Structure formats: structure tokens, C-alpha cells
Amino acid sequence: MSISYRNGTLPKGPLKVDRPLSMNSSTKSSSGSFKSKNSGHAPASATRRKSTGSVVNSAVNAKDDNSVSGRVRVAVRLRPRNAEEMESDADFADCVELQPELKRLKLRRNNWDSDTYEFDEVLTEFSSQKRVYEVVAKPVVESVLDGYNGTVMAYGQTGTGKTYTLGRLGEEDTADRGIMVRAMEDILAEITPEKDSISVSYFQLYMESIQDLLNPMNDNISIVEDPKTGDVSLPGATTVDIRDQKSFLELLRVGEAHRFAANTKLNTESSRSHAMLMVHVERSVKGRDSAISSENGSASHTAKAFKPPVVRKSKLVVVDLAGSERIDKSGSEAHTLEEAKSINLSLSALGKCINALAENSAHVPVRDSKLTRLLRDSFGGTARTSLVITIGPSPRHRGETASTIMFGQRAMKVENMLKIKEEFDYKSLSRRLEMQLEKQIAEHERQQKGFKDDIERITREAQIRIAEAEKGYAEALERERSRYQNDYMDAISKLEEQWAANKQKQENEKAKSSMLSASLEVAELKKLFENETISRKVAEEEIDNLKNQLAQWKRSEAAGNSEILKLRKMLEDEKCQKAKLEEEIAVLRNQLMQLSFEADETRRNLDRGETVNLPDTLDSPIPPFMHQHLGDSGNGEKASMAKLFEQVGLQKILSLLESEDADVQIHAVKVVANLAAEEANQERIVKAGGLKSLLTLLRSSNDETIHRVAAGAIANLAMNETNQELIMSQGGISLLSVTAAKAEDPQTLRMVAGAIANLCGNEKLQPKLRGEGGVKALLGMVRCRHPDVLAQVARGIANFAKCESRAYTQGYKTGKSLLIEDGTLPWIVQNANNEASPIRRHIELALCHLAQHEINAKDMIKVGALWELVRISRDCSRDDIRTLAYRTLTSSPSFQAELKRLRIDYG
């Protein structure tokens, strides 16, 4: 759904044409009053089927200010008795008697006398929602589709069914759909999405303040009046484009959720505001815009193409008025009483305006209320208005029923002057010309592409023909060569035969032989023999070339075999080297196991409080955050680590982190964790690739012990600001978040929470830390409920809040706190008074930092953080936190306003 903000008025650019309803083209009565579907007149939909005329005629007729009079049409609807009335009024008859066939209503004065009133429609308690829509709203909707403004309004005592009649969504039963839903269904069914558009605004008038129901933050919308035309608009109201019924229903749900309602004696869900749904409809007038000229069109057709089309802009306003009520019956008090006063004042102002209009008074007090200003066009204006008054049957409320009936009677006397608003749609013309231009460009590109395809096709055909010709020429040449060779062999055979015959003839006829002819024949034979000799030499040369190529291939094969032998030798050397490395790893493993055993023994002695002299070998890994409690034992550990560096070397220790043996990995990561506890070793570990190896272990290992110790080592490295940036750049926070989600061991969670808490103290990394799930990972670890884990989570939140507060102060950050956006505030408030002092101290500090900035105040008040701040300012054991809480409460306008509203004296 696309949401756009519009000023609610017609644009200044297009030419406006106010076109009155033609008496010749309308089938309605001359009085202009509304007629239902059951009346003798033609339905309103016939207006849409009539010819709309040309743009020129419309522009000329715009000067004619003759408008059609249209009386406000009023229908009365009776609500059935509710459960309370069936019980309390069981012995009494209804105060009204309906005669729907005569369109009359009788209001009983007593058991033998009554007053009779006539309305345009009388709807009994059995009338369906569909029937109500067809007789009340459908004629107005059809007029809106024809280009007129229209208003459908419900008036009546509270609890008589106004909201049910207008705004029922019909989610459980489609037959219960109200006028709003059914009207939009008809509008969507009639419009053309490609040419027409629908936009909706939904707002409420609450305590003389216009509030946007689609954007609750927009709670003071101003009314703007056009000084020339007197049209009323709301520039600040949110306007939503509607494409389908589903999006409209969702919009109604959002609006209804933001309406003010209260529980009174007369209605459990009494509306405390006047709600207005404003539907803007823009429709292109059929037959008035000429189509774009075709390729064979004449010059006149081209001129018509540049004539702008005409659009009709109309507006449907559906008004759900708040119910009038008597204070003594509704039981309103305090703020509800003020709401009731405001409702009654606005309805009273509306009644005065209708009285003035009904009596043709020279002065109509439309400025007495914002409600009357908004409905200025609906009563005495240019809109077609239909009013449904809702009443109840109970005799206890006869006075309110009589007042409602008299309101409807006076409204029936109000006459409106109906007008159609048309204007030239230059934007549509521009879009149409752009589409035509794009079509011409596409056609040109298509022709150009077809020309290129023809060239490519002709080129391919020519290449195929050339290839076929070359192939045929080669085949013909081969045939000729074979034929000449065969002729040559035949000629030789014939010559040999002739030579033999001549020789025989010479022998037989020596006298007759001629030496000259024999010499010529011999010369010719020699020439043929020489040609054959040349051909043989060429064949022998080709054979020699093939032999040379074969010898070259054999030499290449020999070189390849030699290279394979060299590679095999290198592979054997690598195997030997691998065996030596495995022996060294076994030795290192034994040393690590010995060192781990001695370190575990030392730690157990330290836990028992015994004085232990650390051996020369390395102690077992001490868990993170415990080194500050070891006292003087640090000197012995430093000596053992120094000895470890001398004997093994940091690079070899880090290489053991990649071992396939899980025990070796565990011992190695414990050693690295102990080394990382010393600030002097941290830089060496990071430079040697230790941080990357620890992160790799978190990613690839499934061992809980490795996760716990690796997270502790990362937590120690994260105490340095430079290391914090490296951890974040290498995806450390994502890995820690995944580890936190998978881990169940409290000690592992404590290590992970400590690492994230250290990273939370760097204000430069906060956006990235939050973006990669660091804050949500902290919040997820509270599932463990272990005090040590909760203390680290609280410390991380306090660090994050403190850095955020510093960023607010320095102007680097605006907007709501990221902690509040990630949902940590309820947990913070819940644990603000935790029994464990480390948790409570960090939470109190975080709460004070969040409260320092006014933008977070509303969210904190909603979840009850105000009470915790008051408690901290009075009962906190630390003076600095107590002072910070007091200063925050006294300096925040929101907190002061809430305390004043709760009548808590806090200065």
C-alpha cells in the first residue's frame, strides 16, 4: 500500500470546471431530493450510463452557475432491545411504533396518545445491513461515482447502533458489513484502475482536536478554507491510495484501533469522538478524450490526440458521530465527563446550524465548532447528503429519542445545491503521449533489430553457400584428379601395349620401322617416368616429417616420466617430514598434559585456601575474570608461562589448536586462555594469529569445554580497545551470539556474556554490535537464570546504555535507544530490584542512563520504569546512582508530567 500526504485540495494547475447536473440528462425528480431504489424514479446508476458530452461543451457550460437543488435525505433505524432492556422494560411497551410501508413513525406520549412523523425511509429492527445500505448510502455512492460530493452520516443517542451501521467490518459474518465496507466495494467495482484512482483519509474529532487515525502521532490537524470557493480541506491528514478491498479493510482496522472509546452505563464501548472517513475519487470521463492517432491517421486526428482528457473529482464523507448522552444517565465522571461535554457541545452546534438552514436564516453559525466547519459542504453546501438517525425502543430514554427524531425532521428541510467538478487532466495527456512515444521508439527498435536479423540471416546463408561451393569444388577437383590419374594409367598401359606391338612389328617388319617415331615415343615415356619419380620423392618427404614428429613425442614422454620420478621422491620426503612432525606433536602433547595436570592441582589447592608454590611448568587455565582474585600467585604463573614460551614457543602452541585430537585442542586452548589473561601477552597472541584461531574454534568445534575456554580467552582479549575492533571485524560477535544460542552450561554462558559485555563498552562498535545480534544474544542468555550469567548480562547492558548516553550528549546519536528497540526494557525493569547486588547495581545504572534522554521517556513510562527510578532516587545504596536518578527525574518534562498526573509530589 502506497501512502502519500496530500493537502486535500484540488491542484492549481489544471483548469477547473464546475458543471451543474443537467436537468435533461437526469432521471431524478425536479426537486432534486434523494429517491430510494423502491421509488418510482429511475435509479441513480442510470446517471452514470448517460452520455457525458464533450469537453468543449463542458467548458462552455462551466460559466453557467445554475445548480440542482437536493434535499437532505433522512432515514430512521430502530435498534432492537438489548438484554438489559428486555429485563428492566419487560412490562412496558416500546416508546415508538414503526409503519415502514407508510414511512411513518409514531412516538408515544402515553398509553393513549402519540405523535406521528414522516421520514424518507423507516427501517425496523429486523432490517438487514444490506437493506440499510441500499436505501441510505447507495444513492449517495452512485452520485459520487457521477462526480458529485456525497455525505453519509449517522446521528443518535449513545448505544443505538451508529458505529454498527457505518463501520461494521463483517469479519465473522459478511452480512454484517457496514456502509463503509459496502460503499468501497461498489466504488472499486465501478472504477477502472488504469484510469481512475481512489484515496482515503480517516480521522477523528476528539475534544475539539482533529487527530489522524492512520498516524496517531499527527494529533492536531488544522482546517484550511479556500477563500474563493469556501471549500474545507485538511492538508495535514494522511492520504492512502486504495487498490483493493483487502487494503481498505486493513486501513479500517488500523483506524478503529486508534479511536477513543469508554465504558458508560449506557454503552460498554461508547465512542468518545466523531469519526470521519473521507474517500476521494478521480474518474476519467468516457468519450471526452480522443485516442492517440494511428499511423494512418490524418492531421485532424493528430490534433485531437493533444486535447487533454477530462477528469471528475468527487468526495464521499462517511461521518460516525459520537452519541449524545445525558450525564445523569451515562454516569460519566472525571475525564469521561469532559469528553461528554465536548461531544454534546459539538452536536449542539451542529443542531443550531441545521436549524438556521431549515429556517433559511441569514446567519449560519458554522464556526462555532470544528464539526460544523468540517460538515459545511454536507449541510447547505454542494454535497448530496443522506442522514440515518438511530433510536432505541426503551421508554426510559423517550426524551433522547424525541430529540433525535426532531433533529432528523429539521435536517429534512435543508436544501443543498449539487455540482459536478470537472477539470482537464494534463498529467494523463502527458502520460498518454509518453506511452505513444515509447511505443514508437519500441517499434523503431523492433524494425532496426529485424533489419539486423535479416543482415545476419543473409550473411549466414551466404557463408553456407560459400562453404557448399568450396566443398563441391574440392570434390570436383578430387574427381578430376582421379579421372586424370586413371587416364594416365590407361595411357601408360596403352603405350606399353603399343610399344610391345611396335617392337614386335619392328622385329617382324624391320624394314618398315621408323627410327624417328620410336625415339619420340621413348622420350615421352621418359618424361612420364620422371613425373612419377617426383611424386614418389614428395611422398617420402612426408613420411620423414611424420617420423620426426614421432621422435619428438617420444622425447616429451621421457621428460614427463623423469618429472614423475622427481615428484615421487618429493612425496617420500614429505612422508618422512610428516613422521618427524608427528613425533614432535606427541612430545608436545605429553608436555601439555603434564603442565595441565600440575596446573589443575595448583588451582585446587588455591580454591582450598592453601599456600602453594607454583611449579616451573605452566598452570592449568584459570577461568576468565578470576585472575584478579589470585593475589601473589601471579608471579609463579608468570614464571611458568615464561618458561612455556622458552620451551615450546607461542607459534607451536597456537598450531596445536588445529590438531584433530580433541584432548590436544582442549589443553592448547586452556594454555592460550591463561596466556591471554596477561595484558603483556595479548598483543603477541593477536599478532601470531591466536584471535583468528580462537574464533575458528568457536565456529568449527562442537565441544562445550572448548567453547567455554575459548570464549573466556576472547573475553580477556576484548578488554583491549584495539582487540575489540579486530574481534568485530572478524565476525566475532556473530560467533559469540551463535555460541550463546546453543550453549546450556552456565559457565559457558558466563564467559560468552562477559565477552559481549566488554564489547558493549566501545561506543564506536555499538551499531555493528547491535546489527549482528549482540544485544539480542545478551537478552537471550537470561534464560539460564544463573546469577553469574545475569550479572554479566546486566554489566553488558549497563556498558551499552552508558556509551549510548555519551553519544547522545556529544550529538553523535539521535532517536530511540537501540536497547529499547531490541526489547530489553521490560527485563531491565523486572530486574531493577534484584536481590543480587551486582545485578541490581548494573541495572540501576543502565536505567538511569536510558532515562537521561527525553526520547526514551514515553516507552519507560509505559513499562513502569518511572516507579523504579523513584525507588532508586530514594533507596539506592550508591550515592552517585541515587543522585543521577534524582537529577534525571527532576529534569525530564515527561517524567514530571506523569508524576503530576499521578499526583505524586516529587520536586
Side-chain angles (χ1 to χ4, degrees):
M1 180 188 300
S2 61
I3 299 180
S4 58
Y5 294 88
R6 304 177 183 175
N7 59 8
T9 60
L10 293 173
K12 296 181 180 180
L15 175 63
K16 296 183 178 180
V17 180
D18 289 340
R19 183 172 175 266
L21 178 65
S22 174
M23 295 297 292
N24 295 330
S25 62
S26 175
T27 59
K28 296 180 177 62
S29 63
S30 60
S31 64
S33 60
F34 299 150
K35 298 297 179 181
S36 69
K37 285 284 187 177
N38 297 330
S39 64
H41 298 276
S45 59
T47 307
R48 295 197 306 275
R49 291 192 292 267
K50 66 182 181 292
S51 174
T52 56
S54 64
V55 177
V56 178
N57 292 335
S58 176
V60 173
N61 292 336
K63 299 179 181 180
D64 187 5
D65 198 23
N66 294 328
S67 301
V68 176
S69 174
R71 177 176 61 80
V72 174
R73 189 171 185 272
V74 181
V76 60
R77 186 180 193 186
L78 176 65
R79 171 182 60 77
R81 288 194 178 194
N82 53 33
E84 181 184 355
E85 293 170 347
M86 287 181 179
E87 182 178 352
S88 60
D89 300 336
D91 297 332
F92 300 94
D94 292 348
C95 66
V96 293
E97 178 185 351
L98 303 184
Q99 295 177 340
E101 64 280 356
L102 300 177
K103 298 184 180 179
R104 291 178 182 175
L105 177 147
K106 288 185 178 181
L107 177 63
R108 289 192 176 92
R109 295 181 182 178
N110 45 50
N111 291 334
W112 58 85
D113 195 9
S114 62
D115 295 324
T116 302
Y117 301 94
E118 291 187 359
F119 290 95
D120 294 298
E121 289 292 341
V122 175
L123 303 168
T124 68
E125 63 271 31
F126 305 108
S127 297
S128 64
Q129 290 281 75
K130 180 180 179 182
R131 168 67 178 167
V132 174
Y133 170 74
E134 288 179 348
V135 301
V136 174
K138 191 165 185 177
V140 179
V141 173
E142 292 173 344
S143 297
V144 170
L145 291 170
D146 288 335
Y148 298 94
N149 289 343
T151 302
V152 178
M153 186 170 67
Y155 177 91
Q157 182 190 6
T158 181
T160 54
K162 298 182 296 301
T163 303
Y164 176 83
T165 300
L166 296 180
R168 190 76 170 181
L169 299 182
E171 294 176 331
E172 297 179 357
D173 186 359
T174 56
D176 290 340
R177 291 169 298 162
I179 287 176
M180 292 182 181
V181 178
R182 294 177 184 270
M184 184 55 67
E185 288 177 352
D186 283 357
I187 292 173
L188 290 173
E190 288 291 335
I191 68 165
T192 304
E194 294 78 9
K195 296 182 179 180
D196 307 332
S197 66
I198 304 174
S199 59
V200 171
S201 299
Y202 200 12
F203 52 89
Q204 64 180 354
L205 178 61
Y206 175 72
M207 301 285 286
E208 283 301 303
S209 175
I210 301 176
Q211 302 179 4
D212 198 333
L213 291 175
L214 304 182
N215 182 14
M217 302 300 292
N218 189 9
D219 57 359
N220 191 14
I221 302 174
S222 301
I223 299 176
V224 178
E225 294 185 13
D226 191 330
K228 295 182 179 180
T229 63
D231 291 340
V232 175
S233 61
L234 301 175
T238 301
T239 303
V240 181
D241 294 333
I242 300 299
R243 296 297 180 186
D244 51 42
Q245 188 71 6
K246 182 179 179 182
S247 60
F248 177 68
L249 290 175
E250 184 63 27
L251 180 143
L252 290 182
R253 292 190 190 97
V254 172
E256 288 300 320
H258 295 145
R259 282 197 67 181
F260 288 98
N263 185 3
T264 66
K265 292 181 180 180
L266 298 178
N267 191 358
T268 57
E269 294 184 1
S270 176
S271 299
R272 314 309 292 169
S273 64
H274 307 299
M276 296 188 184
L277 177 71
M278 192 173 292
V279 182
H280 299 272
V281 180
E282 292 187 13
R283 302 194 68 190
S284 298
V285 180
K286 297 181 180 178
R288 294 206 175 189
D289 51 342
S290 301
I292 298 295
S293 59
S294 61
E295 295 180 358
N296 299 326
S298 62
S300 61
H301 292 166
T302 305
K304 282 186 178 181
F306 291 97
K307 183 184 295 182
V310 176
V311 294
R312 287 180 178 174
K313 293 189 176 181
S314 56
K315 177 175 63 178
L316 171 64
V317 181
V318 183
V319 186
D320 182 10
L321 294 174
S324 60
E325 60 183 60
R326 291 187 179 178
I327 307 303
D328 55 344
K329 290 186 177 182
S330 64
S332 300
E333 59 184 11
H335 186 67
T336 309
L337 177 59
E338 296 300 323
E339 293 174 340
K341 289 180 180 179
S342 177
I343 291 170
N344 290 337
L345 284 175
S346 60
L347 293 177
S348 176
L350 178 60
K352 291 179 181 178
C353 290
I354 290 179
N355 288 341
L357 290 169
E359 297 172 359
N360 294 323
S361 176
H363 173 67
V364 180
V366 294
R367 295 190 175 275
D368 289 357
S369 171
K370 289 186 177 180
L371 176 62
T372 54
R373 292 178 66 190
L374 290 171
L375 297 178
R376 181 174 182 176
D377 192 48
S378 302
F379 292 97
T382 63
R384 187 180 292 274
T385 303
S386 182
L387 171 67
V388 54
I389 58 174
T390 58
I391 59 176
S394 175
R396 289 181 296 146
H397 305 307
R398 183 188 178 284
E400 290 83 345
T401 301
S403 176
T404 301
I405 291 172
M406 293 309 300
F407 181 89
Q409 288 289 302
R410 288 190 294 270
M412 290 176 66
K413 299 178 182 179
V414 177
E415 294 283 343
N416 292 347
M417 305 303 291
L418 310 183
K419 289 184 180 181
I420 293 179
K421 289 189 177 181
E422 295 180 346
E423 65 182 38
F424 291 122
D425 189 1
Y426 291 106
K427 291 183 179 179
S428 176
L429 175 63
S430 175
R431 288 194 302 269
R432 191 172 62 186
L433 294 177
E434 288 177 357
M435 291 174 60
Q436 184 68 8
L437 178 60
E438 291 176 357
K439 182 179 179 181
Q440 295 293 338
I441 293 173
E443 180 66 20
H444 175 70
E445 291 177 351
R446 185 185 63 78
Q447 292 178 356
Q448 190 173 10
K449 183 179 179 182
F451 179 69
K452 291 181 179 179
D453 293 341
D454 290 341
I455 293 176
E456 292 178 357
R457 179 178 55 79
I458 294 172
T459 302
R460 287 194 300 270
E461 291 177 356
Q463 291 176 351
I464 293 172
R465 290 180 180 179
I466 291 172
E468 292 176 352
E470 291 178 348
K471 183 178 179 181
Y473 175 76
E475 292 176 352
L477 185 62
E478 182 66 21
R479 288 195 300 270
E480 287 294 323
R481 189 184 66 81
S482 299
R483 186 171 62 81
Y484 286 140
Q485 188 175 3
N486 293 332
D487 293 344
Y488 168 73
M489 296 301 296
D490 293 341
I492 291 177
S493 299
K494 289 179 179 179
L495 289 173
E496 289 178 350
E497 291 176 357
Q498 289 178 3
W499 181 74
N502 290 333
K503 187 177 181 181
Q504 185 68 29
K505 189 176 180 180
Q506 285 179 357
E507 292 177 355
N508 297 330
E509 299 177 358
K510 290 181 179 180
K512 295 180 181 179
S513 62
S514 175
M515 296 299 294
L516 182 59
S517 60
S519 299
L520 292 174
E521 290 178 358
V522 170
E524 187 175 356
L525 290 174
K526 285 182 178 180
K527 186 176 181 180
L528 293 174
F529 179 75
E530 288 175 358
N531 291 337
E532 288 295 325
T533 303
I534 292 172
S535 300
R536 180 180 177 183
K537 288 181 179 180
V538 172
E540 289 176 351
E541 289 177 358
E542 290 181 358
I543 292 172
D544 292 338
N545 290 334
L546 292 175
K547 288 181 179 179
N548 293 334
Q549 291 180 5
L550 181 61
Q552 186 175 0
W553 289 340
K554 289 182 178 179
R555 288 194 296 270
S556 299
E557 184 180 4
N561 293 334
S562 176
E563 186 68 24
I564 290 172
L565 292 175
K566 289 181 181 179
L567 292 175
R568 287 179 179 174
K569 185 176 180 182
M570 291 174 63
L571 180 61
E572 292 175 356
D573 294 341
E574 289 293 331
K575 288 182 179 179
C576 295
Q577 188 67 22
K578 180 179 178 182
K580 291 179 181 180
L581 290 175
E582 289 177 350
E583 292 176 359
E584 290 182 5
I585 290 171
V587 174
L588 291 175
R589 183 185 301 172
N590 293 332
Q591 292 179 359
L592 283 174
M593 293 179 66
Q594 181 64 24
L595 291 173
S596 178
F597 173 77
E598 293 174 358
D600 291 339
E601 185 66 25
T602 302
R603 183 179 60 189
R604 286 194 294 272
N605 293 336
L606 287 173
D607 293 338
R608 291 195 296 269
E610 299 177 1
T611 302
V612 180
N613 294 326
L614 294 174
D616 292 337
T617 56
L618 181 65
D619 191 7
S620 67
I622 302 174
F625 321 116
M626 290 179 60
H627 295 282
Q628 61 269 29
H629 303 298
L630 293 183
D632 298 334
S633 64
N635 295 329
E637 184 178 352
K638 289 181 180 179
S640 64
M641 291 185 181
K643 186 173 181 181
L644 178 67
F645 279 133
E646 294 175 359
Q647 292 180 350
V648 180
L650 178 60
Q651 197 63 41
K652 287 189 176 181
I653 294 174
L654 295 179
S655 66
L656 294 178
L657 295 176
E658 302 176 359
S659 174
E660 297 180 358
D661 193 330
D663 294 334
V664 174
Q665 280 189 333
I666 292 173
H667 290 300
V669 76
K670 286 182 179 180
V671 173
V672 174
N674 281 282
L675 292 174
E678 296 294 332
E679 187 176 356
N681 299 330
Q682 291 180 358
E683 184 177 358
R684 297 180 60 188
I685 292 174
V686 174
K687 286 184 177 180
L691 175 60
K692 184 176 181 181
S693 299
L694 291 172
L695 293 175
T696 303
L697 279 179
L698 280 183
R699 182 184 296 109
S700 60
S701 177
N702 295 323
D703 191 277
E704 185 78 12
T705 303
I706 291 177
H707 286 174
R708 179 174 65 255
V709 182
I714 293 172
N716 289 334
L717 293 176
M719 298 177 69
N720 181 282
E721 184 175 352
T722 303
N723 294 342
Q724 291 174 356
E725 295 179 357
L726 291 174
I727 292 171
M728 292 296 295
S729 64
Q730 295 181 17
I733 191 64
S734 299
L735 293 175
L736 289 171
S737 300
V738 173
T739 304
K742 294 180 179 179
E744 297 295 338
D745 179 46
Q747 296 303 321
T748 303
L749 292 173
R750 180 172 71 91
M751 299 299 180
V752 175
I756 297 178
N758 289 340
L759 294 173
C760 287
N762 191 327
E763 61 186 59
K764 299 177 183 178
L765 305 177
Q766 281 194 342
K768 186 173 182 180
L769 184 142
R770 184 251 185 171
E772 295 184 6
V775 176
K776 291 187 178 179
L778 277 177
L779 193 60
M781 285 186 278
V782 302
R783 70 183 187 278
C784 179
R785 300 185 180 179
H786 193 280
D788 293 341
V789 178
L790 297 181
Q792 294 302 323
V793 172
R795 183 171 71 89
I797 292 176
N799 288 344
F800 198 98
K802 183 177 180 181
C803 291
E804 261 195 343
S805 179
R806 190 182 303 118
Y808 277 118
T809 304
Q810 296 175 356
Y812 297 140
K813 176 172 176 56
T814 58
K816 192 184 297 183
S817 169
L818 299 179
L819 291 173
I820 294 177
E821 291 183 356
D822 280 356
T824 61
L825 189 56
W827 184 84
I828 292 174
V829 175
Q830 182 182 356
N831 290 270
N833 198 15
N834 196 289
E835 295 178 356
S837 60
I839 300 174
R840 184 175 64 255
R841 183 177 70 255
H842 290 308
I843 291 298
E844 289 175 346
L845 185 60
L847 206 56
C848 290
H849 283 305
L850 288 173
Q852 279 186 309
H853 307 286
E854 188 67 17
I855 195 170
N856 300 328
K858 289 186 178 180
D859 293 288
M860 298 185 71
I861 290 172
K862 288 181 181 179
V863 299
L866 177 60
W867 299 107
E868 294 299 333
L869 287 171
V870 173
R871 180 191 61 76
I872 294 169
S873 68
R874 295 175 177 173
D875 303 335
C876 184
S877 59
R878 286 184 53 173
D879 293 338
D880 55 344
I881 298 178
R882 188 169 62 253
T883 302
L884 180 60
Y886 177 80
R887 187 170 66 249
T888 301
L889 287 172
T890 55
S891 62
S892 172
S894 297
F895 289 149
Q896 285 294 313
E898 183 66 13
L899 290 171
K900 184 176 180 181
R901 188 183 71 83
L902 297 174
R903 300 180 181 177
I904 297 176
D905 186 13
Y906 193 92

